[in-house]
Every structure is written in structure tokens, then in C-alpha cells.
């Protein structure tokens, strides 16, 4: 064979190099590269979807991390605030007085109510807390920032009534203000066409009426604003526009006259034209400011979107996970060690093994039913408690930890055991001094998979009352609590639009919690890792 | 490390045993309907803000599940209130009585069920009969019961748009679905179908899409698809009025006023039941009832109206408040 190949000439009829063989080779190479490309494609596709998912969540969540606050001149003098009885003061009145002092022109019950609606209904509680914890001291008038109502907040973030356009108008020929009504006279009739386009109601004599179903026309002039409701062609080619004054107009203030058209009719948004003008005015006065949303990070649950916080759920999740870890890790690892290293291989242990493997595949709600029957009805443990939640989730996590731990123990080379036994170590010394430390990285991986699963679980918690609205931040293992995924689920279900951003933000917090948990496991795993 | 963890877990188990005999509950517990949940939670929050009592814990278990828990007995391991999107059933009342529970019924307001679509499309006028024709599994055509043949709205009536029937609505487990079936499907059901017991059956050929219990999801899908209609509670229409419009049913538009006046045909009453036996045993029971039944909460300008609850008429509200605060038990 060597002789014939010595000249370097290839034998023509070798079955590995002939035309058919090369064809087969090409086919195999093609299959290989097809598989490679498909694999890379699959990775790319999943990366794309992951990116899409994450970017939508981050994009949606972004507005929730900041909130607009309104700085109010609060009168905390002795006649309003009794420093000895901080719970008994009427904080509602202090706040609404301060708000109304910013809008001296506001009259009538309905309008006053609207003004008070600019600030969060949770503001009195926040003010009381600020006084109680000493961050505010009673006495005199104090400038203090309080959260705004969710709709005012959404408006300032540009998420409500965003479909507005501004144009500069020619200065009106005359401006007449009588009480709450204003009459503006313009020399050109461009306003009429704009109003017709916006769905104004046609009346006799060419007059137009902008009803609640049409777009809003607001004219800013003289430091104030007028809402246009009626338009009529004037005798000499001009237009007379009439409507209520939204913010007082002073005759001598200069500046351009601007027309703002908000396409969404007033009746169909949660913020009225009047409120828009007020909020803009507050913003121009520098009273509103966008601040880091501490209420979201450190507040408990609330039905008011601007007051709702995630901290209660974070604490609840942390307490629940602690119980889960403290129960499932030692029991799971101990069970795995016994089954793998000590238990005789007989029908009983075989039966147990099959059952553990089956338990790992049982739907989680079943564990919730078990928790309800055993922990609540039989042990008489309290409902909605992280202790019970942790116990139920520990039951769910156990099979995962046992299976992973057994695999990790089995992966430790027998030579390690034999060497230890050979130098005279007892069985238990062998396991705890040599086998277990080497199996630890694998055990930790299994634990973290189980814990991550438990962290995202809501179904078993439904049965034991943890799917609940709980305002107070849980103080211990037996106080009522909820967990992060439940909070996300509840926020996703509330009708107020501001909760949509909160939902995404809460998902990010849950992911952050998960990453933190995993990071701890990774660090521990690195410390135990051995190579042989 | 393992020794430590073993000890820790042993301690946890011991602790678990110890709290079995927990101290007396000083916190009100509410269970029940997910429809009433947003309102009761708002009341609970205000109640807790007053600082006198702890904030009640409100669970969303569904009306039926709530009744089961509520009627299970008297004692601190049983809830004090239950929310319901329908009146208590006779069978439930019997269970309650058998377990020594006397419920106090409080009718807190109305909820309308709306059929709505995106603002990008036209608002339409529907009758209950047309809705039945669009959604029922079997309909009557020329006196015969046939599987629903309608694919476009215009097949049902010329006046309706020529678009595919696509309605997103709640699944059968939902209370909203029960109420919708009762108030629309059963009322508009022709006799021939009633005879075949098919009034409650909704078509399964894709024209009706079960969109899950989450009404917000339906709202988002309607925004994306102008041809689709959605069925959900009035509060979601109210909060999203800039994007959605309600179809008129029988000529009446689903507005706050029309539902409050009882003119809008698809509305139901919402209830809260209190456990009379717990008054005095659990702190704050009477005060919580009072908080719920004052005009600042459930009145026409109260904070529950802002959340989308449609208040009872003035005289009915006064009567309900009086009965509730006097703890007038059912069947006693």
C-alpha cells in the first residue's frame, strides 16, 4: 500500500476518493454546516425574542421609576398642627388649603374638588408620616414636595393628552372678560376652518360649537388661558370666539397668543382642560419636579397608582424564600445523601426514587391544596403568612433539589471515596469531608433552579391566601404578606392606566431579585469548585 | 454549614408548630369576588390610613370560593367579610346557617358590562338579540336551530359594519361571563334554543375569543385591532375612555349616569357580606362597615365612583347603610 502511494499519484478507483465518495463527503459537510447554521439561527432567534421582551418591559417600565412631585407651601403652624397629637390633625385641610392658595381665582365646589384632585389622595398620610418621623417639624409655613395624582403625573410624563399641537395666532383685535367668560375677536377666520376639521357642531348662521365630543381648543394669552366653546363669524370677515376662562387673563401682559388643539375630546380623557392648564401653570412656576420614585421602591401596596409600592412584596418574597431555603436545602441534601450513599438498593428505595421523580412533575397548584389541607386546616397556621408560603414552596422545591443533588453526588469519582475509605475514614467522614464538598457546585445549581422556580410561583399561594391586597409591610414570618409575582398579577389587573407601567417596573424588580439570588449562588459555587 | 442549616430548619419547624396557637387576630380579613376586589381594597386602604385599626387583608378568591370560606364557620381562622358579584345563593345561605354564620348583606353598587371597540373604528348600536346572534353557539334561522352561520356583523343586520365578528371576552370561570350570559344571552334567547337548553352556550369557532380573566389585556388587544370588540366591566371602559368606546345596547350607551339610573340593560349589583358573629370579636368590624357605607366612599362623588363603582340611588343607599350599620342579619 505504501509503495503504490509513494509517487504521490492518487489511485483513481479508491472507494474513498472517487466521485461518489466525494459526493457523499460533500453531503455530510453540507449537513454539518446546515446544522451549524440552524443552531446559530435558533440562538439568534431566541436572543432576538429575549431582547424584544426585555426592551419592551424596560421601555414600558421606565416612566414608573420616576414620579412628579408638587411642592406645596404647607401651613404647619400651631393652629393647624398639634405637635403632641400628630395622628389627630386634619392633614387633608392643610394640603387642600395649600393647593387652593396657589389658585386664588378658583371658585365653586366642583372646581375646588378638581384642584384637590391634582395631588395624590395618599398625600395626607405621607405628610403625617413625615411629621411623625421628624423629617418635617411643625411650625410656620414649610415648602414640602408631595406626590401628584396619577393622571397629572401621566400628563406631565407625556402619556396623556399627548396628541396636542400648538400654533401661534395673530393678536386678537379685542379681548373682553366678563366674570368667567371671555370673548376674543380675531380679524382672520382661520379658526373657523380648524374648528370645522376638529368636529365642531354646525349651528345656524355659520356659528360653530365645540361640544364635549370635539377636540379641545385652548387659547393662551395674557398669562392666562381661555377654552373656546363657541365660534361665530363676525360681520366684517373676522371671528368672535367665546368660552370659559381657565386661568385668569390680564389685559396688560404681553407675549404671543397661542392656540393649542388637543385632539382627544375632553370627555374622553382622565384629565380635563382645566387641569391641564393648572398643571402647566404649576410646571411653569417650578412647583412640579420629576424625582426618583421612592414611593414605588419603598412603599406598600395601594389602590392609588401613584402610592403603590413594591417593598411589601419584596419583603414578602424574601421572607418566603428564606423559609423555603431553610427547609428545602438541608432536607433535600440530606435526603439525597442518604439515598445515594447510605440507603440499600432495594424495592423500597426504588419506589421512593420513582416517587421523587414524579413529584418533580406535579403541577404546583397541587402543593397549594396540600398546604391548605395540612398547614392551614390541620396545623392551624395563619393564612397569608410567609411561613406557610415558604413551607408549601419548599415541598415544591424538594424534588428538584434531591434529583440535582443525587446527580451531583453520583458525579464525584469513586476514586475519591475509595481513597478516603482506604486511609481509614468512616463512611460519614468520607461523605461529609470529601464527597459532599466536591458535589456542592452541582447541588447549588440544583438549589438555585428550584428556588428560581419557587420565586416565580403564584398558583400554590392562591390556596393559602397569599394572593391578597396587603398594605402593611410584613414584619415577620407570620404576618400577612404577598410576593412579587402576585403583586405583578394584581397590578396587571387594575384598570388605572398608571398601573401598566408599574406592572413592567415590578417585573424588572422581580428579575433583579432573581439575578441577586443567582449571583449569591454563583459566588458560592465558585468557592466550592474543584477540578480533578 | 450543614449542621447549622439542619439546626436552623429544625428551629423553623419548631417555630411553625409554636405559632399554630397564634394570638387573637386584630386584622379584618376579606375574601371573595375579583370584580368587587378593586373597590373593597380601596375602602380597606382608606380604613387603614385613619390609623386606628390595621389595614384589612383583602383576598381575591372569586365569588363562589369566597362564599365557601365565609360560610365555613365562626372564629378567627375564618374571614369576616366576603365580596360577591351576585347575591348569595340559597344553598350557600344554608351552609352559612348550618355553621352558625349570620351574613349581613350590603348592596354596594352596580357594575355595567360593556361591549366596546377601539376609537379608531365606528361606534355601533346593538340589541341583545344581535349580540345573541353574533355569539351564541346555535341560533334560529327561519324557524330552525342551526349552528351559528354568521361570520360578519353585516350578516346579522344590514346596519352593522361589514367586518368579521371577533369578540374578546372572559372565560367561563369568570363572574363577568356568568353575568353577561345571564343578562344578555338568556334574555335574548329564542324559545327554540331555550327548549334545547342552549342559551348559555357561546360559539367556539373562533369568533369569540376567550381572552383570560385579565381585562387589561383585552383593552390592549382592542387598541391594536380596530375590528375587534371586547366584553368587560364598565370600570375598564371608564378608565380607558380615550382609547375605547362602548357600543350602545338597545339604544342606551354605557355611561355612568345610564347605569346608575338602571337604563342600561347589562348591569348587575355588587355585594359585600359581613359576618355578624365577628362584630365585637374582631376589632374594627363596625367601623369598616361604616367606612364602606358613607357617601365619601360609595356616594356619587365618593372615591369608589372614581374607581368605577356605579353608586346606588340615594334612597337605596340610605336604606342599605341603615340596615348594614344596624347589622340586620339575613334570615334572622
Amino acid at each position: 500500500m505504501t509503495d503504490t502511494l509513494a509517487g504521490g499519484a492518487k489511485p483513481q478507483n479508491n472507494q474513498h476518493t472517487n466521485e461518489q465518495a466525494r459526493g457523499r463527503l460533500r453531503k455530510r459537510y453540507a449537513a454539518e454546516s446546515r446544522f451549524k447554521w440552524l443552531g446559530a439561527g435558533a440562538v439568534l432567534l431566541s436572543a432576538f425574542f429575549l431582547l424584544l421582551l426585555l426592551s419592551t418591559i424596560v421601555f414600558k417600565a421606565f416612566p414608573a421609576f420616576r414620579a412628579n412631585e408638587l411642592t406645596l407651601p404647607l401651613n404647619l403652624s400651631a393652629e393647624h398642627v398639634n405637635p403632641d397629637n400628630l395622628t389627630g390633625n386634619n392633614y387633608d385641610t392643610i394640603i387642600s388649603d395649600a393647593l387652593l392658595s396657589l389658585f386664588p381665582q378658583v371658585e365653586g365646589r366642583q372646581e375646588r374638588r378638581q384642584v384637590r384632585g391634582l395631588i395624590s389622595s395618599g398625600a395626607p398620610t405621607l405628610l403625617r408620616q413625615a411629621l411623625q418621623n421628624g423629617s418635617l417639624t411643625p411650625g410656620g409655613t414649610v415648602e414640602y414636595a408631595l406626590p401628584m395624582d396619577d393622571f397629572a403625573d401621566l400628563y406631565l410624563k407625556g402619556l396623556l393628552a399627548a396628541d396636542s399641537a400648538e400654533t401661534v395666532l395673530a393678536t386678537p383685535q379685542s379681548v373682553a372678560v366678563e366674570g368667567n367668560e371671555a370673548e376674543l375677536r380675531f380679524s382672520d377666520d382661520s379658526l373657523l376652518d380648524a374648528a370645522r376639521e376638529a368636529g365642531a357642531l354646525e349651528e345656524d348662521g355659520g356659528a360653530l360649537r365645540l361640544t364635549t365630543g370635539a377636540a379641545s381648543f385652548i387659547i393662551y394669552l395674557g398669562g392666562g388661558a381661555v377654552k373656546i366653546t363657541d365660534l361665530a363669524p363676525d360681520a366684517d370677515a373676522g371671528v368672535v370666539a367665546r368660552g370659559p376662562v381657565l386661568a385668569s387673563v390680564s389685559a396688560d401682559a404681553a407675549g404671543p397668543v397661542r392656540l393649542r388643539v388637543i385632539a382627544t375630546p375632553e370627555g374622553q380623557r382622565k384629565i380635563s382642560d382645566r387641569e391641564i392648564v393648572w398643571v402647566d401653570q404649576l410646571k411653569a412656576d417650578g412647583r412640579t419636579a420629576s424625582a426618583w420614585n421612592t414611593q414605588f421602591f419603598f412603599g406598600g401596596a395601594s389602590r392609588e397608582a401613584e402610592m403603590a409600592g413594591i417593598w411589601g412584596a419584596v419583603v414578602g418574597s424574601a421572607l418566603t424564600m428564606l423559609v423555603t431555603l431553610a427547609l428545602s436545602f438541608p432536607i433535600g441534601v440530606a435526603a439525597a445523601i442518604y439515598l445515594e450513599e447510605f440507603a440499600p438498593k432495594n424495592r423500597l428505595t426504588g419506589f421512593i426514587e420513582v416517587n421523587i421523580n414524579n413529584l418533580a412533575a406535579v403541577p404546583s397548584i397541587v402543593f397549594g391544596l396540600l398546604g391548605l389541607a395540612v398547614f392551614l386546616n390541620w396545623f392551624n397556621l395563619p393564612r397569608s403568612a410567609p411561613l406557610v408560603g415558604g413551607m408549601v414552596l419548599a415541598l415544591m422545591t424538594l424534588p428538584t433539589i434531591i434529583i440535582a443533588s443525587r446527580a451531583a453526588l453520583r458525579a464525584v469519582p469513586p476514586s475519591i471515596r475509595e481513597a478516603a475509605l482506604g486511609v481509614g475514614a468512616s463512611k460519614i467522614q468520607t461523605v461529609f469531608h470529601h464527597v459532599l464538598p466536591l458535589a456542592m457546585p452541582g447541588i447549588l445549581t440544583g438549589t438555585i433552579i428550584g428556588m428560581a422556580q419557587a420565586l416565580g410561583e403564584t398558583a400554590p399561594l392562591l390556596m393559602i391566601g397569599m394572593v391578597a391586597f396587603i398594605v402593611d409591610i410584613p414584619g415577620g414570618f407570620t404576618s400577612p404578606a404577598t410576593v412579587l409575582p402576585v403583586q405583578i398579577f394584581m397590578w396587571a389587573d387594575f384598570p388605572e392606566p398608571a398601573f401598566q407601567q408599574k406592572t413592567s417596573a415590578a417585573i424588572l424588580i422581580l428579575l433583579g431579585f432573581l439575578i441577586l439570588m443567582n449571583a449569591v449562588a454563583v459566588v458560592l459555587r465558585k468557592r466550592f469548585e474543584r477540578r480533578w | 454549614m450543614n449542621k447549622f442549616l439542619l439546626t436552623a430548619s429544625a428551629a423553623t419547624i419548631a417555630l411553625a408548630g409554636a405559632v399554630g396557637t397564634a394570638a387573637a387576630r386584630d386584622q379584618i380579613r376579606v375574601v371573595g369576588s375579583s370584580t368587587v376586589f378593586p373597590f373593597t381594597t380601596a375602602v380597606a386602604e382608606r380604613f387603614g390610613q385613619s390609623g386606628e385599626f390595621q389595614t384589612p387583608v383583602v383576598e381575591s378568591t372569586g365569588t363562589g370560593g369566597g362564599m365557601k370560606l365565609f360560610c365555613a364557620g365562626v372564629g378567627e381562622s375564618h374571614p369576616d367579610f366576603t365580596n360577591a358579584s351576585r347575591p348569595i345563593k340559597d344553598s350557600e345561605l344554608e351552609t352559612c346557617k348550618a355553621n352558625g354564620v349570620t351574613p349581613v348583606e350590603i348592596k354596594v353598587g352596580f357594575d355595567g358590562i360593556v361591549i366596546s371597540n377601539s376609537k379608531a373604528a365606528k361606534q355601533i348600536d346593538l340589541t341583545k338579540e344581535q349580540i345573541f346572534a353574533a355569539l351564541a353557539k346555535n341560533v334560529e334561522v327561519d324557524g330552525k336551530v342551526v349552528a351559528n352561520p354568521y361570520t360578519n356583523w353585516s350578516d346579522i343586520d344590514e346596519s352593522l359594519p361589514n367586518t368579521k365578528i371577533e369578540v374578546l371576552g372572559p372565560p367561563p370561570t369568570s363572574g363577568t361571563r356568568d353575568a353577561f350570559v345571564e343578562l344578555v344571552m338568556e334574555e335574548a334567547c329564542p324559545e327554540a334554543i331555550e327548549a334545547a337548553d342552549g342559551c348559555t352556550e357561546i360559539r367556539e369557532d373562533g369568533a369569540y375569543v376567550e381572552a383570560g380573566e385579565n381585562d387589561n389585556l383585552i383593552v390592549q388587544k382592542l387598541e391594536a385591532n380596530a375590528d375587534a370588540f371586547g366584553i368587560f366591566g364598565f370600570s375598564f371602559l371608564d378608565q380607558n375612555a380615550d382609547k375605547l368606546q362602548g357600543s350602545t345596547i338597545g339604544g342606551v350607551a354605557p355611561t355612568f349616569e345610564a347605569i346608575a339610573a338602571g337604563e342600561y340593560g347589562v348591569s348587575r349589583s355588587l355585594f359585600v357580606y359581613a359576618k355578624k358573629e365577628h362584630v365585637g370579636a374582631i376589632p374594627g368590624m363596625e367601623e369598616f362597615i361604616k367606612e364602606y357605607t358613607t357617601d365619601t366612599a360609595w356616594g356619587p362623588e365618593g372615591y369608589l365612583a372614581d374607581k368605577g363603582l356605579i353608586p346606588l340611588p340615594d334612597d337605596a343607599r340610605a336604606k342599605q347603610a341603615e340596615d348594614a350599620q344596624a347589622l340586620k342579619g339575613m334570615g334572622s
Side-chain angles (χ1 to χ4, degrees), chain B residues 32-279:
Chain B
S33 161
S34 55
T35 312
V36 191
F37 179 78
F39 309 125
T40 304
T41 47
V43 177
E45 193 181 347
R46 299 276 175 138
F47 180 71
Q49 276 173 358
S50 68
E52 217 179 316
F53 300 97
Q54 274 195 292
T55 313
V57 172
V58 189
E59 277 180 53
S60 167
T61 61
T63 303
M67 283 295 174
K68 214 171 145 194
L69 286 166
F70 180 78
C71 290
V74 175
E76 61 185 47
S77 55
H78 302 286
D80 312 311
F81 290 89
T82 186
N83 299 322
S85 54
R86 53 162 172 79
I88 190 168
K89 287 181 189 162
D90 288 343
S91 58
E92 288 164 343
L93 192 58
E94 271 165 38
T95 321
C96 259
K97 278 188 189 150
N99 291 324
V101 174
T102 317
V104 177
E105 185 181 72
I106 313 164
K107 193 180 187 182
V108 294
F110 302 113
D111 178 37
I113 296 171
V114 299
I115 297 188
S116 60
N117 61 346
S118 160
K119 280 246 138 108
K122 266 177 70 181
Q123 187 177 23
I124 63 168
D125 297 309
L126 288 168
T127 61
K128 287 187 182 177
E129 285 71 25
Q130 287 168 347
I131 302 172
F132 183 86
L135 297 179
K137 191 172 181 188
N138 297 310
V139 293
E140 195 180 347
V141 179
D142 303 329
K144 270 179 277 178
V145 175
V146 291
N148 198 328
Y150 305 117
T151 52
N152 284 17
W153 287 100
S154 51
D155 298 346
I156 300 168
D157 195 299
E158 293 284 296
S159 67
L160 297 174
N162 186 12
T163 50
K164 224 178 103 208
I165 298 175
E166 191 181 354
V167 179
L168 305 162
T173 47
S174 155
T176 312
R177 166 83 166 257
D178 288 347
F180 177 76
V181 165
E182 188 191 321
L183 294 165
V184 178
M185 305 301 279
E186 286 182 4
E187 270 190 39
C189 194
E191 266 174 40
I193 292 169
E194 209 173 330
D197 229 11
C199 292
T200 60
E201 283 180 90
I202 287 192
R203 64 199 292 185
E204 288 157 354
D205 56 359
Y208 181 84
V209 184
E210 281 174 13
E213 295 261 11
N214 190 333
D215 290 351
N216 257 334
L217 212 64
I218 302 183
V219 170
Q220 284 173 23
K221 282 185 183 158
L222 292 184
E223 272 177 66
N225 180 357
D227 289 337
F229 285 79
I231 298 172
F232 42 79
F234 171 75
S235 53
F236 285 85
L237 176 65
D238 188 40
Q239 297 286 349
N240 293 288
D242 54 336
K243 300 170 204 138
L244 305 177
Q245 60 197 358
S247 310
T248 61
I249 294 179
V252 184
T255 59
F256 193 86
E257 293 75 21
I259 300 171
E263 287 159 11
Y264 183 71
V266 197
S267 70
R268 57 178 161 172
S269 302
L270 303 178
F271 300 87
V272 170
Y273 291 90
K275 198 176 277 180
K276 196 175 178 179
E277 284 74 16
H278 281 190
V279 174

Side-chain angles (χ1 to χ4, degrees), chain A residues 417-487:
Chain A
R417 291 186 188 82
E418 282 153 17
L421 291 170
V423 296
S426 71
K427 185 91 197 212
I428 199 153
Q429 281 173 323
T430 310
V431 170
F432 280 97
H433 294 178
H434 302 280
V435 179
L436 190 60
L438 288 174
M440 216 28 133
I443 294 176
L444 285 172
T445 308
T447 309
I448 203 65
I449 292 172
M451 294 294 287
Q453 210 180 356
L455 180 67
E457 209 50 76
T458 52
L461 303 180
L462 185 72
M463 291 287 143
I464 54 166
M466 283 184 91
V467 179
F469 175 78
I470 294 156
V471 173
D472 303 323
I473 292 175
F477 290 106
T478 53
S479 49
T482 187
V483 292
L484 279 165
V486 170
Q487 191 69 73

Side-chain angles (χ1 to χ4, degrees), chain A residues 322-403:
Chain A
L322 269 179
V323 175
T324 306
L325 185 68
L327 286 174
S328 63
F329 184 71
I331 295 178
V333 174
I337 291 173
Y338 176 75
L339 286 174
E340 199 57 39
E341 303 284 338
F342 294 96
K345 300 274 176 274
N346 57 22
R347 287 183 126 190
L348 182 69
T349 49
F351 179 71
I352 291 175
E353 195 176 330
V354 169
N355 273 297
I356 289 174
N357 289 338
N358 281 343
L359 267 184
V362 166
S364 55
I365 187 98
V366 175
F367 291 102
L369 284 167
L370 179 87
L372 176 69
V374 177
F375 299 142
L376 293 191
N377 294 347
W378 191 29
F379 288 3
N380 259 333
L381 292 178
R383 257 181 100 80
S384 319
L387 174 71
V388 183
M391 284 159 80
V392 168
L393 293 177
L395 290 181
M396 200 193 80
T397 319
L398 265 176
T400 315
I401 296 186
I402 296 176
I403 292 168

